[in-house]
C-alpha cells in the first residue's frame, strides 16, 4: 500500500528527520525517538496492518493512554484514517478483538459543552499530532486546544493549552458499563470509578481513579448518560461523567494529574502521590522517556538504512508492553494485587493482557533470554493465578477469557525454567501443567454459566485416550488442538526431565509424538480424524478453520516444532521436505472460507502479499521459514526471512502484515533482525537466519555484552558465507541459549550468493525428538 502524503509526513515529523536518523545507534538521537507508535494503526475489522493503537505508556505499565477516533465501545478505538478525536482514554486493551476494560477518558473543549462522544469529537490532522511512547500531543482544531499526556506505570499527567475563552472545559467521561464521579471543588479533585469490561472480571471489579487539577474551577458539573450537565457534584450510574469549567487567557495551561487502582480509592491516591507527587508535566515526560530509553538501549543496532532502525525499535516498543503489570505497591512498598480471578486482594505479583497462543512462540523466549528477572515475576504471577483461580490462564484480560485454543502456558513455563529462569514456585506450576493435561473437568465458567473452553484442554479425555482430538465429537479446530497439545506435552516432558521426574518425562515425551496420528500419508498433510480412526471427509487442504484455527492444512502441517526431523521423515525425507516448503511460497493464494461464511481478515492478508500460501500475518506458520535449517537448505531460510522483513514490515501506519498480537509479530521481526529465532520452546536453541543489521550490541542479563557483526551485509547480501561464535567457526544452524547468554561475539560474513555447503549436514540441524542425541 502506498503511503499518503500525510502518512509519509507523519513518519518523518513524529520520529525525526532522515539526517538525524542516519546517526543510527549513536547519541545524536535517543533510541526511543526512532519509535513510531502509529505503526500498525492503519487497520480495520476487514484488514489488519497491525490492529494497534498509539500506546502512551512506560514499559509493561498497568495503564496505557491513547487518543480515541472510533465509535463508542468499539475495539477499534484509534485508527489512522480517523478524522476526529473525542478524548484521550486510559486503556488496558490488548487487542481490538478482546476490546477494552476499566477505561475512562479526558477531553478538552471550548464553547458550549458537548458530552456525547459522537458530538464532541474535534477534527485533527496527523500533521499536528506527535506520537511518542512517552507522550502524545495533538491539536484539537474545533476548540483551538492542544492536548498532551505523559505516563507513569499507574498514573499520568495531562497538559491542556487553551485559547482565550470564558467557556473552557475539561471533561472526564466514565464511559458506559458502570461508573461514578464525585467532584471535590475545594481540593480541585475528581474521584470515582469505572466498571466497563468485556468479561473476565469478578462481580466486585472496579477501577478507582483520582484526578487533580492545578487551578480552581469556575463551575463544576456532572452528567448521566447523554444528558446535559447539572450542578450535582456526584453521580453514579451506567454512564456518568464530570465537566470542569475555567476562564482562560490565550496560552493558559491546565494540568491534570490522574492515577488509578484496581484495589481501592485510597490506593489510587497513593499511586498518584508515589508516582507523580509534585513532578511537573515535563518531569513526568522525561521520566517516561528515560524508562523507555533504558529498556530499548539493551539492544543497539547500527545500519546505514534509517528505516530498518525505525522498524526495529518500533517493534521492540510493542514487545515491551505486554503482559501488563496488574499489581500495585501499598504504603509500605509491598507488592499487592487485586485478583481478577477471585476478587480479593493478595500479596505478590500479577500480570495480565496476554494471549499465550500468540506470545509463547517468541515473546516469552525473548524474556527468558533478555529479561529473566521479569520472566521470573511473570511466573510468580502465574503461580498466583493458579492458586486464586484454579487454572492457568491461556488468554487473560484481565481474568480468564474464552479466546483461542491450546495449552500453551506449558510452553512458556518450561522454556523459562529450562533456560535458567528461577525465583518462582516451579512445583506449583508443574502441578498446574499436569492438571491441564489430565482433565477438562471443573474448568471455570463465565457469568452465563458456560465453561470457558480456552482454559485447560478442551477434549483432554479424547486426546489422552486416542492420541488426538477427534473431528466428529463436536470440538471445533480439533487438529490444531491436537498439534498444540503435543507441543505442550513436549514442554511438560522437558520440564519433568529438568525436575528429575523421569516417569513423567517419558510419558509426555511419547505424547509429544501424537502429531503423527493426524498425518495423512495419502494427501501428505495433517488432517482431521474421526473417533473411529477414519479420516474426516471431504478434505480440502485450502479450507480455513474447521479442523484448524485461523489457518489451513498448509499452515498447520508445519506446527511440529518439537520434532521437525520426524515430520520430515513422514514427508519423505529432506529433498521432499524442502520441495513441500517451497510449494507453500509458490502455490497461488487460493482459499476456501466456507467454514467462516466470510473472508476473515487473516485470509485476506495472506491473499494480497504475493507470497503464495504463506500467511505471516498469523502466528501458526511464522516459524516455517526457519525449517529449511533442518533439511540441509539453510540458505533458503536466509532468503525467505530477509524477504519477509523487507516486504511485510515497515515503521509506517501499515507496517505489519496482520495482527500484531501482544508483541508476537514484532518479536518475530526483532529476533529475525538479530539473526536467529526460537522455533521450539524448552530446547534452549535458536535457529539461525540472516541478520538484518551490520552490527547489533546486546547487553545481556548480568551485564555481559553480546556483539553481532554481519560483514558485507546489505539488501542484496542476504546469504551467510560463514558463521563464527567467539572466534570459532561453526556450521551448526543454531545457537544455544547458554552460549548467547555468556556474551562475546557472533561474526556473520554475508554474500550475494548462497553458500550451499554451510550447515547442510544432518548433524548441523537443530533439535528434534527423532534426531540422534547430540
Amino acid at each position: 500500500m502506498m503511503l499518503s502524503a500525510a502518512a509519509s509526513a507523519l513518519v518523518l515529523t513524529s520520529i525525526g528527520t532522515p539526517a538525524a536518523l542516519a546517526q543510527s545507534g549513536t547519541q545524536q538521537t535517543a533510541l526511543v525517538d526512532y519509535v513510531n507508535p502509529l505503526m500498525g494503526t492503519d487497520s480495520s475489522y476487514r484488514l489488519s496492518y497491525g490492529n494497534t493503537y498509539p500506546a502512551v505508556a512506560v514499559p509493561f505499565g498497568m495503564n496505557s493512554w491513547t487518543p480515541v477516533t472510533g465509535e463508542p465501545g468499539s475495539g477499534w478505538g484509534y485508527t489512522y484514517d480517523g478524522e476526529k478525536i473525542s478524548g484521550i482514554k486510559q486503556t488496558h486493551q490488548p487487542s481490538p478483538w478482546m476490546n477494552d476494560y476499566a477505561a475512562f477518558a479526558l477531553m478538552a473543549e471550548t464553547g458550549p459543552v458537548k458530552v456525547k462522544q459522537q458530538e464532541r469529537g474535534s477534527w485533527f490532522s496527523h500533521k499536528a499530532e506527535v506520537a511518542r511512547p512517552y507522550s502524545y500531543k495533538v491539536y484539537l482544531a474545533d476548540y483551538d486546544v492542544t492536548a498532551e499526556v505523559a505516563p507513569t506505570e499507574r498514573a499520568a499527567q495531562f497538559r491542556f493549552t487553551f485559547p482565550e475563552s470564558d467557556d473552557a472545559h475539561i471533561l472526564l467521561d466514565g464511559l458506559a458499563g458502570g461508573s461514578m464521579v464525585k467532584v471535590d471543588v475545594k481540593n480541585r479533585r475528581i474521584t470515582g470509578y469505572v466498571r466497563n469490561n468485556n468479561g473476565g472480571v469478578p462481580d466486585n471489579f472496579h477501577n478507582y481513579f483520582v484526578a487533580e487539577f492545578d487551578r480552581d474551577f469556575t463551575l463544576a458539573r456532572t452528567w448521566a448518560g447523554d444528558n446535559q450537565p447539572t450542578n450535582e457534584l456526584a453521580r453514579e450510574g451506567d454512564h456518568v461523567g464530570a465537566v470542569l469549567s475555567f476562564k482562560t487567557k490565550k496560552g493558559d495551561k491546565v494540568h491534570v494529574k490522574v492515577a488509578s487502582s484496581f484495589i481501592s480509592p485510597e490506593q489510587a491516591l497513593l499511586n498518584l502521590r508515589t508516582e507523580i507527587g509534585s513532578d511537573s508535566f515535563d518531569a513526568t515526560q522525561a521520566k517516561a522517556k528515560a524508562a523507555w530509553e533504558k529498556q530499548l538501549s539493551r539492544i543497539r543496532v547500527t545500519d546505514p538504512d534509517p528505516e530498518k532502525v525505525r522498524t526495529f525499535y518500533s517493534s521492540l516498543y510493542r514487545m515491551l508492553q505486554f503482559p501488563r503489570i496488574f499489581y500495585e505497591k501499598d504504603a509500605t512498598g509491598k507488592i499487592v494485587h487485586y485478583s481478577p480471578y477471585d476478587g480479593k486482594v493478595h500479596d505478590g505479583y500479577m500480570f495480565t493482557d496476554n494471549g499465550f497462543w500468540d506470545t509463547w512462540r517468541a515473546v516469552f523466549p525473548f524474556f527468558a533470554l533478555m529479561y529473566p528477572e521479569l520472566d521470573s515475576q511473570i511466573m510468580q504471577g502465574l503461580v498466583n493465578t493458579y492458586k486464586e483461580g484454579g487454572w492457568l490462564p491461556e488468554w487473560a484480560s484481565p481474568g480468564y477469557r474464552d479466546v483461542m485454543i491450546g495449552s500453551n502456558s506449558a510452553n512458556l513455563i518450561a522454556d523459562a525454567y529450562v533456560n535458567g529462569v528461577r525465583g518462582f514456585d516451579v512445583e506449583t506450576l508443574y502441578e498446574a501443567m499436569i492438571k491441564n493435561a489430565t482433565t477438562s473437568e471443573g474448568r471455570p465458567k463465565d457469568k452465563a454459566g458456560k465453561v470457558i473452553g480456552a482454559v485447560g484442554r478442551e477434549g483432554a479425555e479424547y486426546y489422552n485416550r486416542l492420541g488426538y482430538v477427534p473431528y466428529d465429537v463436536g470440538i471445533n479446530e480439533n487438529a490444531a488442538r491436537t498439534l498444540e497439545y503435543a507441543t505442550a506435552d513436549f514442554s511438560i516432558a522437558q520440564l519433568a526431565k529438568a525436575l528429575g521426574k523421569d516417569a513423567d518425562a517419558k510419558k509426555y515425551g511419547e505424547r509429544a509424538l501424537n502429531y503423527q496420528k493426524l498425518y495423512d500419508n495419502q494427501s501428505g498433510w495433517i488432517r482431521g480424524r474421526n473417533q473411529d480412526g477414519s479420516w474426516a471427509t471431504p478434505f480440502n487442504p485450502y479450507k480455513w478453520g474447521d479442523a484448524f484455527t485461523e489457518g489451513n492444512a498448509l499452515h498447520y502441517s508445519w506446527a511440529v516444532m518439537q520434532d521437525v526431523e520426524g515430520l520430515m521423515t513422514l514427508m519423505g525425507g529432506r529433498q521432499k521436505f524442502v520441495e513441500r516448503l517451497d510449494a507453500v511460497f509458490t502455490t497461488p493464494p487460493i482459499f476456501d472460507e466456507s467454514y467462516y461464511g466470510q473472508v476473515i481478515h487473516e485470509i485476506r492478508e495472506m491473499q494480497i502479499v504475493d507470497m503464495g500460501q504463506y500467511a505471516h500475518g498469523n502466528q501458526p506458520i511464522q516459524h516455517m521459514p526457519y525449517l529449511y535449517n533442518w533439511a540441509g537448505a539453510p540458505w533458503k531460510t536466509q532468503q525467505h526471512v530477509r524477504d519477509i522483513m523487507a516486504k511485510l514490515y515497515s515503521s509506517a501506519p501499515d507496517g505489519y502484515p496482520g495482527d500484531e498480537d501482544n508483541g508476537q509479530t514484532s518479536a518475530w521481526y526483532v529476533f529475525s533482525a538479530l539473526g536467529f529465532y526460537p522455533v521450539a520452546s524448552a530446547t534452549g536453541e535458536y535457529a539461525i537466519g540472516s541478520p538484518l543489521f551490520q552490527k547489533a550490541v546486546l547487553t545481556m542479563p548480568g551485564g555481559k555484552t553480546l556483539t553481532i557483526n554481519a560483514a558485507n551485509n546489505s539488501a542484496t547480501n542476504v546469504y551467510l558465507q560463514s558463521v563464527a561464535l567467539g572466534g570459532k567457526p561453526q556450521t551448526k544452524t543454531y545457537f544455544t541459549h547458554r552460549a548467547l547468554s555468556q556474551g562475546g561475539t557472533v561474526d556473520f560474513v554475508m554474500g550475494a550468493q548462497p553458500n550451499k555447503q554451510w550447515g547442510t549436514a544432518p548433524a548441523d540441524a537443530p533439535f528434534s525428538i527423532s534426531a540422534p542425541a547430540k
Side-chain angles (χ1 to χ4, degrees):
M1 169 177 174
M2 293 295 291
L3 278 176
S4 67
S8 299
L10 169 76
V11 171
L12 297 181
T13 58
S14 289
I15 55 179
T17 65
L21 292 170
Q23 303 296 327
S24 58
T26 72
Q27 292 302 314
Q28 279 86 344
T29 302
L31 298 182
V32 67
D33 288 331
Y34 290 111
V35 174
N36 182 10
L38 301 188
M39 177 179 173
T41 61
D42 187 11
S43 300
S44 68
Y45 174 89
R46 297 181 61 193
L47 188 65
S48 175
Y49 286 111
N51 263 334
T52 62
Y53 54 84
V56 183
V58 295
F60 308 107
M62 190 173 83
N63 309 318
S64 297
W65 298 85
T66 184
V68 178
T69 66
E71 296 297 319
S74 170
W76 284 264
Y78 179 101
T79 56
Y80 190 75
D81 63 356
E83 297 172 334
K84 294 184 177 182
I85 286 178
S86 61
I88 297 174
K89 75 170 180 175
Q90 183 186 102
T91 179
H92 307 90
Q93 180 171 297
S95 161
W97 309 103
M98 305 297 293
N99 214 317
D100 211 347
Y101 66 90
F104 60 93
L106 277 74
M107 181 63 180
E109 301 177 349
T110 55
V113 173
K114 302 174 184 177
V115 300
K116 294 182 181 179
Q117 186 175 332
Q118 301 94 319
E119 295 179 356
R120 71 180 183 230
S122 169
W123 282 85
F124 81 106
S125 168
H126 295 301
K127 296 179 177 66
E129 176 187 50
V130 180
R132 311 271 190 177
Y134 54 86
S135 66
Y136 178 81
K137 181 178 182 179
V138 67
Y139 178 64
L140 303 173
D142 288 347
Y143 306 117
D144 193 21
V145 171
T146 297
E148 301 173 79
V149 63
T152 72
E153 285 188 333
R154 301 167 189 85
Q157 285 216 56
F158 283 80
R159 180 164 65 192
F160 298 101
T161 304
F162 284 95
E164 183 173 353
S165 176
D166 289 337
D167 293 296
H169 318 287
I170 295 175
L171 284 71
L172 192 153
D173 189 344
L175 306 179
S179 47
M180 185 274 280
V181 294
K182 183 178 181 180
V183 181
D184 179 347
V185 174
K186 179 180 178 181
N187 291 302
R188 305 169 176 170
R189 180 186 298 167
I190 307 174
T191 55
Y193 63 74
V194 292
R195 304 193 65 199
N196 54 84
N197 65 85
N198 284 275
V201 300
D203 289 338
N204 67 348
F205 174 76
H206 291 75
N207 183 23
Y208 301 96
F209 63 80
V210 55
E212 291 189 343
F213 296 73
D214 70 341
R215 62 187 293 171
D216 292 335
F217 319 136
T218 58
L219 184 63
R221 291 168 285 177
T222 63
W223 82 84
D226 290 332
N227 295 319
Q228 287 299 306
T230 69
N231 291 329
E232 296 176 68
L233 295 182
R235 290 286 186 104
E236 187 174 15
D238 177 68
H239 183 180
V240 303
V243 53
L244 294 313
S245 300
F246 312 88
K247 288 185 178 182
T248 58
K249 297 177 181 178
K250 182 177 176 61
D252 273 0
K253 301 182 189 304
V254 178
H255 294 84
V256 189
K257 298 177 178 179
V258 185
S260 62
S261 168
F262 294 105
I263 295 174
S264 68
E266 295 78 15
Q267 181 67 44
L269 185 58
L270 178 62
N271 292 342
L272 185 69
R273 297 288 181 259
T274 302
E275 298 191 8
I276 294 182
S278 61
D279 282 354
S280 66
F281 179 92
D282 291 337
T284 296
Q285 180 176 260
K287 287 180 178 180
K289 182 176 182 178
W292 277 110
E293 193 68 12
K294 178 181 178 180
Q295 301 306 332
L296 297 179
S297 65
R298 292 282 304 278
I299 304 177
R300 291 187 173 274
V301 299
T302 304
D303 200 86
D305 183 350
E307 172 55 21
K308 293 179 184 177
V309 179
R310 288 193 292 259
T311 305
F312 181 85
Y313 285 110
S314 297
S315 297
L316 188 53
Y317 148 79
R318 289 288 168 193
M319 288 179 64
L320 301 181
Q321 292 180 31
F322 299 103
R324 192 190 306 278
I325 63 175
F326 203 74
Y327 62 84
E328 304 175 51
K329 297 178 182 179
D330 70 10
T332 68
K334 183 173 65 176
I335 301 294
V336 293
H337 67 269
Y338 165 82
S339 173
Y341 302 99
D342 68 7
K344 300 176 182 178
V345 177
H346 301 271
D347 293 347
Y349 290 101
M350 179 62 63
F351 292 80
T352 192
D353 294 330
N354 211 254
F356 296 159
W357 187 84
D358 305 292
T359 56
W360 75 265
R361 304 167 195 270
V363 175
F364 278 94
F366 181 83
F367 294 162
L369 179 66
M370 297 298 295
Y371 292 90
E373 183 177 354
L374 169 70
D375 211 13
S376 175
Q377 293 172 1
I378 295 171
M379 296 303 129
Q380 293 174 55
L382 289 178
V383 171
N384 292 331
T385 296
Y386 178 63
K387 290 180 177 179
E388 294 158 21
W391 296 83
L392 290 169
E394 298 297 334
W395 234 119
S397 179
Y400 300 123
R401 296 288 294 275
D402 199 1
V403 183
M404 306 311 291
I405 67 165
S407 188
N408 297 302
S409 52
N411 300 327
L412 54 102
I413 294 167
D415 189 69
Y417 193 84
V418 167
N419 286 314
V421 177
R422 295 294 185 268
F424 62 95
D425 183 355
V426 68
E427 291 290 348
T428 293
L429 291 185
Y430 185 80
E431 173 190 310
M433 292 160 65
I434 296 299
K435 180 178 180 179
N436 272 5
T438 303
T439 181
S440 64
E441 297 298 318
R443 288 175 292 164
K445 298 179 180 179
D446 63 19
K447 292 186 177 181
K450 179 178 176 291
V451 169
I452 301 176
V455 176
R457 296 188 183 186
E458 185 79 13
E461 289 76 14
Y462 288 112
Y463 174 83
N464 293 339
R465 177 165 56 88
L466 300 172
Y468 61 93
V469 181
Y471 181 87
D472 59 345
V473 296
I475 298 176
N476 65 330
E477 303 170 11
N478 38 81
R481 294 179 192 274
T482 298
L483 294 172
E484 296 197 20
Y485 297 167
T487 300
D489 284 340
F490 171 74
S491 293
I492 294 174
Q494 291 292 89
L495 182 54
K497 181 179 178 181
L499 296 176
K501 303 177 187 295
D502 295 339
D504 278 0
K506 183 177 185 295
K507 173 183 176 180
Y508 288 97
E510 291 171 352
R511 289 187 179 182
L513 298 174
N514 279 339
Y515 73 90
Q516 296 173 353
K517 293 180 171 29
L518 293 190
Y519 184 78
D520 173 23
N521 285 308
Q522 184 173 358
S523 69
W525 299 111
I526 295 289
R527 182 175 174 183
R529 192 167 201 166
N530 295 321
Q531 190 172 186
D532 64 6
S534 61
W535 294 111
T537 55
F539 174 64
N540 177 1
Y542 305 109
K543 185 176 184 179
W544 282 61
D546 199 16
F548 302 103
T549 302
E550 298 177 358
N552 61 30
L554 274 71
H555 306 144
Y556 267 91
S557 293
W558 311 103
V560 187
M561 299 80 161
Q562 70 275 18
D563 194 25
V564 180
E565 180 75 26
L567 178 65
M568 188 159 52
T569 298
L570 289 176
M571 289 187 171
R574 289 180 130 206
Q575 182 176 343
K576 289 187 177 179
F577 190 75
V578 169
E579 291 171 355
R580 299 289 297 281
L581 288 169
D582 289 345
V584 172
F585 290 102
T586 59
T587 300
I590 56 178
F591 57 83
D592 175 356
E593 79 284 12
S594 59
Y595 176 78
Y596 297 106
Q598 61 176 320
V599 178
I600 61 174
H601 74 93
E602 291 90 350
I603 296 176
R604 192 68 74 201
E605 288 144 17
M606 176 199 74
Q607 181 194 28
I608 63 178
V609 297
D610 193 23
M611 286 190 174
Q613 288 287 324
Y614 181 68
H616 189 81
N618 210 17
Q619 282 67 38
I621 201 173
Q622 287 180 349
H623 70 289
M624 193 210 83
Y626 285 92
L627 299 187
Y628 289 103
N629 282 1
W630 278 259
W635 66 89
K636 294 199 172 190
T637 285
Q638 298 153 28
Q639 184 265 315
H640 283 298
V641 297
R642 288 293 287 270
D643 188 42
I644 293 164
M645 283 189 277
K647 191 173 184 178
L648 300 187
Y649 289 83
S650 79
S651 66
D654 66 344
Y656 287 108
D659 283 354
E660 198 286 318
D661 284 330
N662 303 141
Q664 169 54 30
T665 300
S666 292
W668 187 96
Y669 185 90
V670 168
F671 265 120
S672 296
L674 296 175
F676 49 92
Y677 185 79
V679 171
S681 68
T683 62
E685 293 184 359
Y686 307 86
I688 294 174
S690 175
L692 184 64
F693 300 107
Q694 293 183 351
K695 185 176 183 178
V697 180
L698 286 64
T699 302
M700 308 303 291
K704 295 180 179 179
T705 298
L706 176 67
T707 301
I708 302 172
N709 299 309
N712 307 321
N713 204 0
S714 70
T716 54
N717 291 354
V718 303
Y719 296 104
L720 303 187
Q721 306 302 297
S722 65
V723 179
L725 180 61
K728 297 179 180 179
Q730 78 164 52
T731 59
K732 304 292 187 185
T733 59
Y734 60 91
F735 297 128
T736 66
H737 181 97
R738 181 184 298 274
L740 296 181
S741 297
Q742 294 303 308
T745 303
V746 175
D747 290 297
F748 295 103
V749 177
M750 313 300 293
Q753 299 299 321
N755 178 358
K756 296 186 178 182
Q757 282 70 53
W758 182 83
T760 59
D764 292 330
F767 173 89
S768 280
I769 295 174
S770 298
K774 298 176 182 177

